[in-house]
Short mmCIF file of all heavy atoms in Angstrom, two decimals:
data_model
loop_
_atom_site.label_atom_id
_atom_site.label_comp_id
_atom_site.label_asym_id
_atom_site.label_seq_id
_atom_site.Cartn_x
_atom_site.Cartn_y
_atom_site.Cartn_z
N ALA A 91 2.16 6.58 -2.84
CA ALA A 91 1.33 6.17 -1.74
C ALA A 91 1.62 6.84 -0.35
O ALA A 91 0.75 6.67 0.47
CB ALA A 91 1.41 4.65 -1.58
N SER A 92 2.57 7.64 -0.32
CA SER A 92 2.83 8.43 0.91
C SER A 92 2.28 9.84 0.58
O SER A 92 2.51 10.34 -0.46
CB SER A 92 4.39 8.59 1.06
OG SER A 92 4.66 9.66 1.77
N PRO A 93 1.64 10.37 1.64
CA PRO A 93 1.20 11.72 1.44
C PRO A 93 2.05 12.68 1.00
O PRO A 93 1.90 13.55 0.11
CB PRO A 93 0.77 12.00 2.89
CG PRO A 93 0.33 10.73 3.54
CD PRO A 93 1.34 9.84 3.01
N TYR A 96 2.51 11.91 -2.81
CA TYR A 96 1.38 12.45 -3.73
C TYR A 96 1.20 13.96 -3.72
O TYR A 96 0.55 14.49 -4.68
CB TYR A 96 0.09 11.58 -3.58
CG TYR A 96 -0.53 11.26 -2.28
CD1 TYR A 96 -1.37 12.14 -1.63
CD2 TYR A 96 -0.43 9.97 -1.88
CE1 TYR A 96 -1.89 11.84 -0.47
CE2 TYR A 96 -1.04 9.64 -0.63
CZ TYR A 96 -1.80 10.51 0.07
OH TYR A 96 -2.31 10.15 1.18
N GLU A 132 -7.60 5.17 2.44
CA GLU A 132 -7.88 6.52 2.20
C GLU A 132 -9.29 6.78 1.48
O GLU A 132 -9.80 7.72 1.44
CB GLU A 132 -6.86 7.05 1.38
CG GLU A 132 -5.60 7.44 2.02
CD GLU A 132 -5.52 8.78 2.79
OE1 GLU A 132 -6.28 9.84 2.42
OE2 GLU A 132 -5.04 8.78 3.90
N ARG A 156 -5.01 15.84 -0.31
CA ARG A 156 -5.01 14.47 -0.31
C ARG A 156 -6.04 13.87 -1.33
O ARG A 156 -6.12 12.70 -1.63
CB ARG A 156 -5.41 13.78 1.16
CG ARG A 156 -4.44 14.12 2.15
CD ARG A 156 -4.94 13.66 3.53
NE ARG A 156 -4.57 12.34 3.75
CZ ARG A 156 -3.50 12.00 4.60
NH1 ARG A 156 -2.86 12.85 5.16
NH2 ARG A 156 -3.30 10.74 4.76
N ASN A 188 -2.54 1.01 6.58
CA ASN A 188 -1.08 1.36 6.76
C ASN A 188 -0.22 0.24 7.03
O ASN A 188 -0.40 -0.66 7.94
CB ASN A 188 -1.03 2.30 8.11
CG ASN A 188 -1.53 3.67 7.98
OD1 ASN A 188 -2.65 3.74 7.86
ND2 ASN A 188 -0.68 4.60 7.79
N GLY A 199 8.70 9.69 3.76
CA GLY A 199 7.95 10.90 4.45
C GLY A 199 6.82 10.31 5.33
O GLY A 199 6.22 11.11 6.06
N ARG A 200 6.46 8.97 5.24
CA ARG A 200 5.52 8.51 6.13
C ARG A 200 6.07 8.17 7.54
O ARG A 200 7.30 8.31 7.88
CB ARG A 200 4.99 7.11 5.62
CG ARG A 200 4.01 7.38 4.45
CD ARG A 200 3.38 6.05 3.97
NE ARG A 200 4.41 5.46 3.06
CZ ARG A 200 3.99 4.60 2.18
NH1 ARG A 200 2.72 4.11 2.05
NH2 ARG A 200 4.88 4.01 1.28
N ALA A 201 5.17 7.92 8.60
CA ALA A 201 5.65 7.99 9.80
C ALA A 201 6.65 6.96 10.22
O ALA A 201 7.60 7.36 10.83
CB ALA A 201 4.34 7.75 10.73
N VAL A 202 6.38 5.72 9.78
CA VAL A 202 7.51 4.68 10.19
C VAL A 202 8.88 5.06 9.70
O VAL A 202 9.86 5.05 10.36
CB VAL A 202 7.09 3.32 9.86
CG1 VAL A 202 8.11 2.35 10.11
CG2 VAL A 202 5.82 2.90 10.67
N ASN A 204 10.12 7.98 8.65
CA ASN A 204 10.59 9.17 9.25
C ASN A 204 11.09 8.91 10.73
O ASN A 204 12.24 9.38 10.90
CB ASN A 204 9.49 10.15 9.38
CG ASN A 204 9.38 11.05 8.15
OD1 ASN A 204 10.06 10.90 7.09
ND2 ASN A 204 8.65 12.16 8.25
N PHE A 205 10.18 8.17 11.45
CA PHE A 205 10.72 8.07 12.96
C PHE A 205 11.87 7.14 12.98
O PHE A 205 12.79 7.32 13.88
CB PHE A 205 9.47 7.30 13.56
CG PHE A 205 8.26 8.25 13.81
CD1 PHE A 205 7.23 7.60 14.53
CD2 PHE A 205 8.21 9.53 13.43
CE1 PHE A 205 5.90 8.48 14.66
CE2 PHE A 205 7.09 10.30 13.69
CZ PHE A 205 6.07 9.77 14.24
N GLN A 208 14.99 9.21 11.89
CA GLN A 208 15.29 10.33 12.85
C GLN A 208 15.89 9.57 14.14
O GLN A 208 16.86 10.09 14.71
CB GLN A 208 14.01 10.99 13.36
CG GLN A 208 13.53 11.81 12.00
CD GLN A 208 11.97 12.31 12.16
OE1 GLN A 208 11.20 11.70 12.96
NE2 GLN A 208 11.58 13.27 11.46
N THR A 216 9.78 13.71 14.68
CA THR A 216 8.85 14.71 14.52
C THR A 216 7.35 14.13 14.51
O THR A 216 6.92 13.39 13.58
CB THR A 216 8.93 15.35 13.14
OG1 THR A 216 8.95 14.22 12.04
CG2 THR A 216 10.21 16.22 12.97
N VAL A 217 6.56 14.29 15.61
CA VAL A 217 5.26 13.91 15.63
C VAL A 217 4.27 15.11 15.16
O VAL A 217 4.49 16.20 15.74
CB VAL A 217 4.76 13.49 17.15
CG1 VAL A 217 3.33 13.42 17.25
CG2 VAL A 217 5.56 12.23 17.41
N TYR A 218 3.43 14.86 14.24
CA TYR A 218 2.45 15.92 13.72
C TYR A 218 1.31 16.04 14.61
O TYR A 218 0.85 15.03 14.98
CB TYR A 218 2.16 15.72 12.24
CG TYR A 218 3.27 15.49 11.37
CD1 TYR A 218 3.17 14.89 10.11
CD2 TYR A 218 4.60 16.11 11.59
CE1 TYR A 218 4.29 14.74 9.15
CE2 TYR A 218 5.61 16.01 10.67
CZ TYR A 218 5.54 15.33 9.52
OH TYR A 218 6.61 15.25 8.64
N GLN A 223 -3.69 11.47 17.14
CA GLN A 223 -4.36 10.70 15.94
C GLN A 223 -3.89 9.17 15.88
O GLN A 223 -2.72 8.97 16.41
CB GLN A 223 -3.98 11.43 14.70
CG GLN A 223 -2.57 11.30 14.06
CD GLN A 223 -1.71 12.34 14.64
OE1 GLN A 223 -1.83 12.84 15.78
NE2 GLN A 223 -0.63 12.80 13.89
N ARG A 225 -3.35 5.34 14.03
CA ARG A 225 -3.25 4.35 12.95
C ARG A 225 -3.07 2.96 13.40
O ARG A 225 -2.80 2.85 14.56
CB ARG A 225 -1.92 4.81 12.14
CG ARG A 225 -1.98 6.17 11.48
CD ARG A 225 -3.06 6.39 10.27
NE ARG A 225 -2.98 7.63 9.68
CZ ARG A 225 -3.54 8.63 10.03
NH1 ARG A 225 -4.28 8.66 11.13
NH2 ARG A 225 -3.43 9.85 9.28
N LEU A 259 -0.13 8.06 17.31
CA LEU A 259 1.25 8.39 16.55
C LEU A 259 2.26 8.62 17.70
O LEU A 259 3.42 8.34 17.60
CB LEU A 259 1.08 9.52 15.69
CG LEU A 259 0.92 9.10 14.19
CD1 LEU A 259 2.27 8.42 13.66
CD2 LEU A 259 -0.23 8.08 14.14
N LEU A 281 0.00 19.61 12.29
CA LEU A 281 -0.58 18.55 11.54
C LEU A 281 -1.00 18.86 10.11
O LEU A 281 -1.58 19.92 9.83
CB LEU A 281 -2.06 18.30 12.29
CG LEU A 281 -2.73 16.97 12.02
CD1 LEU A 281 -1.97 15.76 12.53
CD2 LEU A 281 -4.04 17.02 12.74
N PRO A 282 -0.68 18.01 9.14
CA PRO A 282 -0.98 18.28 7.67
C PRO A 282 -2.50 18.44 7.64
O PRO A 282 -3.30 17.83 8.24
CB PRO A 282 -0.45 17.07 6.95
CG PRO A 282 0.51 16.31 7.74
CD PRO A 282 0.00 16.68 9.25
N ASP A 285 -5.52 15.47 7.67
CA ASP A 285 -4.81 14.27 8.16
C ASP A 285 -5.98 13.56 8.99
O ASP A 285 -6.53 14.03 9.93
CB ASP A 285 -3.71 14.75 9.17
CG ASP A 285 -2.94 13.52 9.49
OD1 ASP A 285 -3.13 12.83 10.29
OD2 ASP A 285 -1.71 13.58 8.95
N PRO A 286 -6.30 12.19 8.62
CA PRO A 286 -7.34 11.43 9.33
C PRO A 286 -7.09 11.31 10.78
O PRO A 286 -5.82 11.10 11.22
CB PRO A 286 -7.34 10.11 8.64
CG PRO A 286 -6.71 10.47 7.26
CD PRO A 286 -5.71 11.31 7.48
N ARG A 289 -7.88 5.67 12.36
CA ARG A 289 -7.96 4.68 11.35
C ARG A 289 -7.59 3.33 11.92
O ARG A 289 -6.64 3.15 12.51
CB ARG A 289 -6.88 5.06 10.17
CG ARG A 289 -7.00 4.11 8.95
CD ARG A 289 -6.02 4.34 7.90
NE ARG A 289 -6.20 5.54 7.23
CZ ARG A 289 -5.28 6.24 6.72
NH1 ARG A 289 -4.02 5.97 6.81
NH2 ARG A 289 -5.65 7.36 5.92
N1 UDP B 412 3.24 11.64 11.00
C1 UDP B 412 3.99 12.11 11.93
N2 UDP B 412 5.18 12.49 11.83
C2 UDP B 412 5.87 12.24 10.68
C3 UDP B 412 5.15 11.66 9.62
C4 UDP B 412 3.82 11.31 9.83
O1 UDP B 412 3.39 12.45 13.13
O2 UDP B 412 7.12 12.55 10.56
C5 UDP B 412 1.82 11.32 11.19
C6 UDP B 412 0.81 11.75 10.11
O3 UDP B 412 0.45 13.16 10.41
C7 UDP B 412 -0.32 10.81 10.33
C8 UDP B 412 0.32 9.66 10.73
O4 UDP B 412 1.69 9.88 11.11
O5 UDP B 412 -1.13 11.30 11.33
C9 UDP B 412 0.45 8.66 9.63
O6 UDP B 412 1.05 9.24 8.48
P1 UDP B 412 1.73 8.44 7.12
O7 UDP B 412 2.31 9.72 6.44
O8 UDP B 412 2.55 7.40 7.67
O9 UDP B 412 0.42 7.88 6.36
P2 UDP B 412 -1.18 8.22 6.40
O10 UDP B 412 -1.80 7.19 7.32
O11 UDP B 412 -1.47 9.61 6.78
O12 UDP B 412 -1.50 8.00 4.96
#
Side-chain angles (χ1 to χ4, degrees):
S92 153
Y96 48 78
E132 284 281 327
R156 298 173 88 102
N188 292 71
R200 281 181 280 195
V202 170
N204 271 10
F205 292 175
Q208 292 162 343
T216 56
V217 169
Y218 301 158
Q223 72 273 32
R225 294 294 186 272
L259 262 293
L281 194 66
D285 197 282
R289 184 181 289 151

